[in-house]
């Protein structure tokens, strides 16, 4: 997928097709999705390049360049909670300028250290989506744990039925091969078994996943400090970072509602927005969109890709985003994303993907 995607983006950029069609494809605005902002990683040894989660991190320099570019393209950087009103304006034909809102999922500590200075420089409002169990230091960042186990071990042991019981991971190729098998196996495990598995699997290789969570994710004191910044707002991301569509309805409702209540209690702010963990159609669908509406969230974000159109005013709990992805840190790619064309092609010229 990624090679094809990259080629299409390059083709679109060079063909100028994107620019020619942008008036037709561009929406009223966009919501950007980020996770981590980190200086380029130094490989841990010469020739080691195993970094499968690198797509989740962009550099502060790219963030800086991206924000400048977005402004240059005429976008107004607005706080996320202003989006519903802008969509109403778009529907009434009264929107003055396209808008862009910035979101960061999961509350990684690097957001404070490396992203905040860039947001301040640009006076760019941003929203961080926090799962309270992670801020408590008791969450499982299973994708980071899996990466660390494979990266730091020459042999990885596994006790999952149907999978090899050991992987030889002393080379980059071996590490990547192990990741390619283990990542999907863990990603699509039952939500509750998944967490029990990753705790056991990491411990067997000397990694404490909860210590890793405390190392990577901001605690409540840091979140209080950050959320006091007028540019920052906080959104809910479920209690335990669950793929909501894969748990029963009562649990899904509780995950959403309790995360909001706990954030408001700890941070003393109002929490009206939600980002569905993972956010793909298998993790958030019609049932979750209705639940978010019923619980009174003013908007909720998926990770489906696309611009926001006036028509989204009727689907505020099923909004798409644009990912600022570490694998594509190139302003030419951002240029094509802002044209809207790749998503129009991907969504077969439908503006809405909300079912
Ligand atoms: Zn997340």
């Amino acid at each position: 997928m990624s090679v094809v995607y990259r080629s299409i983006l390059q083709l679109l950029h060079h063909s100028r097709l994107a620019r020619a069609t942008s008036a037709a494809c561009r929406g009223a605005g966009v919501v950007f999705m980020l996770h981590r902002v980190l200086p380029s990683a130094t490989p841990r040894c010469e020739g080691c390049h195993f970094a499968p989660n690198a797509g989740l991190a962009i550099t502060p320099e790219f963030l800086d360049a991206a924000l400048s570019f977005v402004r240059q393209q005429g976008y107004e950087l607005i706080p996320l909670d202003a989006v519903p009103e802008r969509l109403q304006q778009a529907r009434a034909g009264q929107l003055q300028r396209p808008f862009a809102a910035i979101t960061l999922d999961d509350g990684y500590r690097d957001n404070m250290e490396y992203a905040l200075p860039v947001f301040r420089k640009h006076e760019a409002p941003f929203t961080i989506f926090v799962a309270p169990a992670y801020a408590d230091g008791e969450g499982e960042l299973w994708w980071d744990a899996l990466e660390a186990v494979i990266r730091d071990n020459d042999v990885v042991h596994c006790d999952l039925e149907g999978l090899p019981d050991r992987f030889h991971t002393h080379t980059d190729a071996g590490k990547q091969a192990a990741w390619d098998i283990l990542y999907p196996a863990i990603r699509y495990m039952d939500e509750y078994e998944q967490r029990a598995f990753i705790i056991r699997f990491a411990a067997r290789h000397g990694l404490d996943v909860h210590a890793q969570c405390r190392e990577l994710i901001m605690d409540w004191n840091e979140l209080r400090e950050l959320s006091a910044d007028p540019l920052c707002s906080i959104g809910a991301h479920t209690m335990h970072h669950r793929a909501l569509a894969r748990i029963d309805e009562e649990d899904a409702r509780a995950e959403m509602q309790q995360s909001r209540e706990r954030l408001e209690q700890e941070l003393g702010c109002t929490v009206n927005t939600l980002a569905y963990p993972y956010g793909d159609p298998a993790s958030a669908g019609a049932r979750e969109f209705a639940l978010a509406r019923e619980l009174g969230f003013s908007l909720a974000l998926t990770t489906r890709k696309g611009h926001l159109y006036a028509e989204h005013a009727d689907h505020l709990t099923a909004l798409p985003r644009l990912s600022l992805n570490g694998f594509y840190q190139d302003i030419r790619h951002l240029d094509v994303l802002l044209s809207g064309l790749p998503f129009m092609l991907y969504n077969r010229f439908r503006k809405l993907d909300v079912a």
Side-chain angles (χ1 to χ4, degrees), residues 35 105-106 143 237 241 277-278:
H35 287 83
D105 287 11
D106 302 335
W143 55 94
H237 201 38
H241 204 276
Y278 312 103

Side-chain angles (χ1 to χ4, degrees), residues 255-273:
E255 281 282 343
M256 293 155 96
Q257 178 63 10
Q258 289 171 10
S259 68
R260 172 194 211 166
E261 286 169 3
R262 182 77 196 286
L263 288 166
E264 292 187 336
Q265 211 176 73
E266 292 283 350
L267 304 175
C269 58
T270 308
V271 173
N272 278 329
T273 61

Side-chain angles (χ1 to χ4, degrees), residues 41-73:
T42 7
R44 74 188 239 284
C45 63
E46 204 168 335
C48 295
H49 298 290
F50 177 70
N53 289 309
L56 295 178
I58 61 169
T59 64
E61 293 76 21
F62 181 65
L63 177 60
D64 187 10
L67 294 181
S68 296
F69 182 75
V70 167
R71 276 240 169 86
Q72 255 171 38
Q73 297 297 303

Side-chain angles (χ1 to χ4, degrees), residues 82-304:
V83 165
E85 194 192 336
R86 296 299 171 108
L87 289 174
Q88 293 294 352
Q89 290 171 1
R91 186 146 66 176
Q94 291 165 351
L95 189 70
Q96 308 280 331
R97 292 166 62 192
F99 62 84
I102 300 159
T103 63
L104 302 98
D105 287 11
D106 302 335
Y108 282 94
R109 181 166 289 121
D110 51 65
N111 294 180
M112 172 116 99
E113 190 174 353
Y114 296 107
L116 180 62
V118 182
F119 293 139
R120 283 185 172 152
K121 175 182 164 190
H122 290 270
E123 292 181 54
F126 60 96
T127 298
I128 298 190
F129 289 101
V130 177
Y134 286 28
D136 283 333
E138 287 163 16
E140 299 85 23
L141 297 148
W142 63 265
W143 55 94
D144 285 320
L146 179 63
E147 176 177 335
V149 165
I150 296 176
R151 186 190 59 219
D152 297 338
N153 288 277
D154 287 341
V155 179
V156 167
H157 301 273
C158 176
D159 60 0
L160 284 178
E161 221 181 286
L163 293 190
D165 57 9
R166 68 170 55 196
F167 293 87
H168 296 282
T169 49
H170 55 287
T171 61
D172 267 11
K175 291 181 194 301
Q176 190 61 48
W179 173 270
D180 290 344
I181 292 173
L182 288 169
Y183 180 90
I186 300 172
R187 170 80 171 80
Y188 297 106
M189 225 177 247
D190 168 89
E191 277 291 303
Y192 300 97
E193 270 173 39
Q194 175 198 67
R195 304 311 172 89
F197 170 78
I198 198 72
I199 292 169
R200 187 174 75 233
F201 170 79
R204 186 170 175 185
H205 297 88
L207 176 72
D208 175 343
V209 290
H210 296 138
Q212 183 194 39
C213 172
R214 290 189 286 278
E215 184 193 318
L216 293 177
I217 300 290
M218 288 182 276
D219 63 25
W220 291 110
N221 283 331
E222 290 166 306
L223 286 168
R224 272 188 279 275
E225 190 187 328
L226 184 57
S227 63
D229 192 296
L231 292 173
C232 178
S233 58
I234 300 290
H237 201 38
T238 76
M239 279 302 280
H240 300 91
H241 204 276
R242 298 265 184 238
L244 293 169
R246 306 180 70 239
I247 60 178
D248 70 39
E249 183 169 341
E250 206 167 311
D251 287 0
R253 183 185 282 108
E255 281 282 343
M256 293 155 96
Q257 178 63 10
Q258 289 171 10
S259 68
R260 172 194 211 166
E261 286 169 3
R262 182 77 196 286
L263 288 166
E264 292 187 336
Q265 211 176 73
E266 292 283 350
L267 304 175
C269 58
T270 308
V271 173
N272 278 329
T273 61
L274 171 84
Y276 305 103
Y278 312 103
D280 60 307
S283 307
R287 186 190 75 177
E288 288 65 49
F289 303 157
L291 274 177
R293 218 172 22 244
E294 180 194 308
L295 292 170
F297 286 100
S298 65
L299 64 83
L301 304 171
T302 68
T303 59
R304 299 179 193 211

